[in-house]
Amino acid sequence: MTLSLISLLYKDIAELWYLLKKSTDEIMHQDIVPLCAEEIEVQLRKKFAFLSGGRGKDGCPVITFPEYSTFSEIPENDFQNVLTYLTNIPSLQDAGIGFILVIDRRQDKWSSVQASVLRIAASFPGNLQLVLVLRPTGFLHRTLFDIAFKFHKDDYKMKLPIIMLSSLGELNSYIDRTQLTEDLGGTLDYCHDRWLTHRTAIESFARMVKQTAQTLRSFGAELAETELPNDVESTRSLLTAHIESKVKMKEDLRIAVDEGHDILHSIRKPVLENPEYKLNPDQVENQVTVERLLAQLDETATAFDEFWSKHQQKLEQCLQLRHFELDFKEVKSDLDAVSERLCRFTEMGNSCSHVEHILKDLANFESKSHDVLEKARMLISTADQFIQNNHYAVDSILPKCNELQQHCGMVAAQTNKIRALLNHSFELHSRLEKSMRWCDEGIYLLASQLVDKCQTQDGAESALQEIEKFLDTGREYKLSELNDFYREYEAILSEELMEHIQKVFQKQESMEEMFQKRQVSLKKLAAKQTRPVQPVAPRPEVSLKSPCPSPGLQRDSEDPSSPDNPMIQRISFRRAKSELSEIHQTRGGSVMDDEENLAVLRKHVINELLETERAYVEELLCVLEGYAAEMDNPLMAHLISPGLQNKKDVLFGNMEEIYHFHNRIFLRELENYIDYPELVGRCFLERMEDFQIYEKYCQNKPRSESLWRQFSDSVFFQECQRKLDHKLSLDSYLLKPVQRITKYQLLLKEMLKYSKNREGAEDLQEALTSILGILKAVNDSMHQIAITGYDGNMNELGKLLMQGSFNVWTDHKKGHSKVKDLARFKPMQRHLFLHEKAILFCKKREENGEGYEKAPSYSYKHSLNMTAVGITENIKGDAKKFEIWYNAREEVYIIQAPTPEVKATWVNAIRKVLTSQLQAFRQASQHRILEHTHSLPLPSSSNTSPSQNDGRNIRKQEERNSDFPDGCITTVTSKYPEKGKGWSKTSQSVDASEENDGWSSAEDPFNSSDAEDEGKVEKKLTPGKYTAMANYDKGGSEDLVLKSGDLVQLIHEGEDGLWYIRNLSTSREGWMPINCLLALLGNSKSALSLTSSESAAGSSTLSSSSSYSESCNVSSISVSDIKG
């Protein structure tokens, strides 16, 4: 088929070329006048001879020689050229008959006539039919002419027939008047200039036609002989060049045709202007000539168009073929790459999650390869169109088309096969994991059955029922016979998978064996009729202590039937011991089985921890060597995209630091606990600080993932993955550290579950708590780095303790004026960040992007310094609300948590911050007071040593401060309450603070909750006895002096914030400021008490001041100073 199409195509082109060649040959072989009118235009314009177009009676062309005074002066060459040109104009047929020459010499002399006739006779190149001479009309000249003609008549007859005419009438007898010009008495319309113009145009047109035909012939020959290129660019260039040449040829043809039509119109113009006008034979001949040339041009153009159409089709098909071949190579290469990547899907996974990950990779692979397959299908469709359109290269196109179809089908079939195998693998691992979970649940069931409850018949039967019920559930999870299992999943089995299946079977068998043992043991207990046992202890002490008596004496003194008989006692003791031993053995065997089960589980967890740790270290090393190191390899530099250069730290973060920690330290230390799995918590605790490196890695993860998404298709990564023979791309390995740090807490939970009541359980619990704390810190830090708009340094805010989203209302007041600045009834959505030194209020923004970039961002709004913050724990009417207030309630923020549990967590966290600030302040104040105490003389002897009492009180204070939910401690500054109101902010003992909800840490005592504004009952100091917690000495001899340990009685409260007190140890009395009094009494056991009404509805505040030494200098304030 193809060969016939190609041969037909070339046959058609050859035939068309032959027609074009034939058409141009006709034009090129036409006889053209040797001389052109354009060449002898000057001689022709002299008009000494012209071809008027008239004909004789027999159709002979008439050449007229009009009177020309300088006829004899015409150069011979010019004369000969004009005669030659004029004789070549008529057709060969007319010229063959002969010409009629009309020589007009009516005004000439005989001598001139004789010379003219002889010259014409000698130079005329054509056949002469007749020569008509109009002789001179003057008498003298006519007479002379007649005489001379008679003498020379014979000479003329020998050369040409000459007829001497005396008048125009005689001329008419030879040539009709219609064939003579007006100057010869005829009616023939003749204009010499017009004739010359027509002749020049016709001859120019004829030359143009011939030149055009020659050009078309040459171009056709070039096209016919052109060899088809072998590449797209050359074929396109050749087609473009040929099209340009063709356009130029067509333009030349159009110009020639237009010129021919213009000439034809000029020739026929007289007829068009006057329908009665008749063209003379020469004009008709000119018209025929032009029409013939136009017809030849049209025929040539048609032949050329047909030839060009075939040639263009051949070139276009060639270009299509070259494009197809180029696309085929590209698609073939892409399909080979797809097949190569598909061949890498050899791993069937080692767990359900792994198989799911591989299936996800396969789905991604299908998504990426879809474009390649679609491109191949489009190319196949294009090839089918070529074949249907009878492309000349079908034999080349068809095999490639079939190859693409086979390759696409193979890729699709292989993909479906791999997906089916992976689904089969997922089914296998699901069954294995379900079986493992079932076994774990069974072992946990055995471990959770308490031995004491199983000792009774009912307890044993209940335990048996639990076991039987659990075994009934195993029908769904229990694996069939091992060989059948192998045959069912033979297609996906590998050595590692077979070992894993064997382990699962072994675990299943071990679990069933443990169940069987437990059932046997429980059945014995359920079937056994237990009897009450009353062990009777023998009394061998008496006989042992007495000296050895004689056997006879001993026997005589014993009554065999007496219950006190030692023999009977020993028999009863042995019997009871035997029964107790039996019970103990039964119980001990069960406990032993449980402990063995737990030991097996602990061993399993530590093995999993070590195996996954080793695999984790190997994966990190593989990434660092196979990717990170290659980014510095000069041989790989050409594969790295410009945007990826110098971005290794961004892409990998501190993975190298993580690898060195695990490889050099943590893995080696873990291996030391393989025989003591329950103690592995210590290993985590010892290295807990080192795990902080994960926080840095996780904080960099969004930047890393963003960079990966930009260059995931980089040739560099593909080459590295190919060298490593990794089934998964780099992003899966970059996620390993994040997955690993979350895996530890799961393993620790498992180990803790199987290590209860064993050594190391507390360490495991602490390690688990610490790991969860690290995870929380990592999570919090991921939110913290998303804060925008904060101008300060967040490192100065201290450690980030909590973060979360809340509804926030504001109700701000200014000092004691109670004037509200702002009251917001619609809550604001705010995200709070609790640091050690400040609380940040931020607004959560929309989540955009993908992956880590989808994490939210937070716009910073404002912050509160923790040294001026107070809290009110409970808000009436809503258990989820609490208050955060600032600077003596100048700014009040009502916070609504999502749940009461979240509220409690936040309140406790804020309370701890305030407590730590207060403790730090008090320790600093106590340190200054103790230093001042050492500088004073020792007090007089009393029942209790001041220093001892002081130390004891300090310890009591620390004990109380350690549990602030049950109490509240207030430290105040030197600012006093308003006159007449007394002191409304009280400091209570541990015993009197159970109703307290408010907590504060501020430099201003009025930072505490304003009781009057909030409708709460004020708490005031009441008269009573208290113990001084510090020394107070103004320095004067008459001033009131207090020493640590002195018993102080508060008598009554005065004005200006003063109390009148008595030192019961020295019997001195005096006034003391309430702020110094509160500092001195501190957490005295009997320091303060509330009235019944106050204790029922009161609330107090916790405040800690960082400027106590500035506001209340105990050793330097006196009553006189205050009053003054």
Side-chain angles (χ1 to χ4, degrees), residues 797-811:
L797 302 181
K799 183 180 179 182
L800 176 62
L801 305 176
M802 302 281 288
Q803 56 85 24
S805 294
F806 299 88
N807 290 331
V808 179
W809 291 265
T810 59
D811 187 9

Side-chain angles (χ1 to χ4, degrees), residues 1006-1021:
F1006 296 104
N1007 283 351
S1008 59
S1009 178
D1010 193 319
E1012 291 182 359
D1013 291 344
E1014 300 300 322
K1016 299 178 182 178
V1017 179
E1018 294 184 356
K1019 295 187 177 76
K1020 298 181 179 180
L1021 292 174

Side-chain angles (χ1 to χ4, degrees), residues 574-616:
R574 283 196 296 270
R575 183 180 301 165
K577 184 177 180 181
S578 176
E579 293 178 358
L580 287 173
S581 176
E582 183 177 352
I583 295 174
H584 176 73
Q585 288 175 1
T586 303
R587 180 182 299 181
S590 178
V591 172
M592 188 179 302
D593 290 344
D594 292 342
E595 180 54 38
E596 289 178 357
N597 294 339
L598 294 175
V600 170
L601 293 174
R602 289 193 296 272
K603 189 71 172 178
H604 173 72
V605 174
I606 194 67
N607 287 338
E608 182 179 358
L609 175 60
L610 284 171
E611 289 174 4
T612 54
E613 185 70 15
R614 294 188 185 104
Y616 174 55

Side-chain angles (χ1 to χ4, degrees), residues 17-74:
W17 163 240
Y18 175 75
L19 292 176
L20 176 63
K21 184 174 182 295
K22 181 179 178 182
S23 175
T24 55
D25 283 346
E26 290 178 0
I27 298 174
M28 294 177 65
H29 287 86
Q30 287 180 355
D31 292 334
I32 299 179
V33 180
L35 292 175
C36 299
E38 186 178 1
E39 296 176 357
I40 58 173
E41 182 179 1
V42 176
Q43 291 84 351
L44 290 173
R45 287 191 179 279
K46 292 179 180 180
K47 199 179 177 182
F48 59 84
F50 62 88
L51 189 66
S52 64
R55 293 292 186 269
K57 293 180 180 180
D58 53 358
C60 297
V62 177
I63 296 177
T64 303
F65 289 87
E67 290 186 0
Y68 192 79
S69 58
T70 59
F71 185 81
S72 59
E73 298 176 2
I74 297 173

Side-chain angles (χ1 to χ4, degrees), residues 35-194:
L35 292 175
C36 299
E38 186 178 1
E39 296 176 357
I40 58 173
E41 182 179 1
V42 176
Q43 291 84 351
L44 290 173
R45 287 191 179 279
K46 292 179 180 180
K47 199 179 177 182
F48 59 84
F50 62 88
L51 189 66
S52 64
R55 293 292 186 269
K57 293 180 180 180
D58 53 358
C60 297
V62 177
I63 296 177
T64 303
F65 289 87
E67 290 186 0
Y68 192 79
S69 58
T70 59
F71 185 81
S72 59
E73 298 176 2
I74 297 173
E76 184 62 26
N77 187 43
D78 294 347
F79 185 78
Q80 186 67 38
N81 287 340
V82 170
L83 291 182
T84 302
Y85 176 76
L86 293 177
T87 55
N88 283 319
I89 292 176
S91 64
L92 295 177
Q93 182 179 358
D94 293 342
I97 299 175
F99 291 89
I100 297 177
L101 302 182
V102 178
I103 304 173
D104 184 9
R105 290 294 182 263
R106 285 175 294 174
Q107 303 298 327
D108 209 346
K109 299 177 181 180
W110 159 248
S111 57
S112 298
V113 172
Q114 183 183 14
S116 298
V117 171
L118 292 176
R119 187 175 186 182
I120 291 172
S123 302
F124 194 80
N127 297 329
L128 285 174
Q129 182 68 23
L130 184 64
V131 178
L132 300 176
V133 180
L134 289 173
R135 59 186 179 180
T137 58
F139 177 77
L140 179 61
H141 292 292
R142 178 182 298 178
T143 304
L144 293 174
F145 183 82
D146 291 339
I147 296 172
F149 184 75
K150 288 180 182 179
F151 286 108
H152 300 284
K153 186 175 182 179
D154 293 337
D155 296 336
Y156 290 110
K157 286 183 179 179
M158 292 176 62
K159 296 183 179 178
L160 68 160
I162 299 176
I163 299 176
M164 297 294 179
L165 303 176
S166 301
S167 64
L168 296 175
E170 294 179 359
L171 178 63
N172 293 334
S173 62
Y174 292 96
I175 301 174
D176 191 80
R177 293 181 66 251
T178 60
Q179 301 299 318
L180 294 173
T181 60
E182 292 179 356
D183 56 346
L184 294 178
T187 60
L188 180 65
D189 181 25
Y190 175 77
C191 177
H192 189 67
D193 291 336
R194 183 178 62 190

